[in-house]
Amino acid sequence: SQRLVKEEKVTHGSQAHVVCCCRKKCLLFNDVVLITATLHTGFSRAAKSFEMILAGRFLEGIAAGRAPHYPLLL
C-alpha cells in the first residue's frame, strides 16, 4: 500500500524508493514511446513506407513490455 511506503524510512537504492519516486517518470516515458509508435504507424501511408509500420509495431512491443503489470491503485 502507498501509505506504508511513505511511513517507512526509505533508504537510497531500495525498491520502495523506486516505487515511490520513479513511477510517474516511467509511465510518462512509456507514453512518449507509444506516441512515437503511433505517429510512425499513422504516417506510414502518407510516406508510402512499409518500414515505418514495422518500426511502429516494434516500438509498440517495447512499450507493451515496459507497461506496469500491476494495478496502479496500490
Side-chain angles (χ1 to χ4, degrees):
S1 70
Q2 189 68 16
R3 186 175 59 203
L4 291 177
V5 171
K6 289 185 178 182
E7 290 175 1
E8 293 175 353
K9 183 177 180 177
V10 178
T11 60
H12 188 283
S14 67
Q15 183 179 6
H17 177 71
V18 172
V19 170
C20 167
C21 299
C22 297
R23 179 182 292 172
K24 184 175 180 180
K25 291 178 185 176
C26 186
L27 288 174
L28 287 174
F29 178 73
N30 197 29
D31 290 341
V32 169
V33 173
L34 278 174
I35 290 171
T36 305
T38 303
L39 290 174
H40 270 82
T41 305
F43 287 125
S44 66
R45 182 171 289 183
K48 295 182 172 133
S49 173
F50 182 75
E51 292 83 8
M52 287 180 70
I53 294 175
L54 294 177
R57 292 295 299 242
F58 179 73
L59 289 172
E60 287 174 4
I62 290 174
R66 292 183 51 86
H69 300 291
Y70 54 86
L72 294 176
L73 300 174
L74 289 177

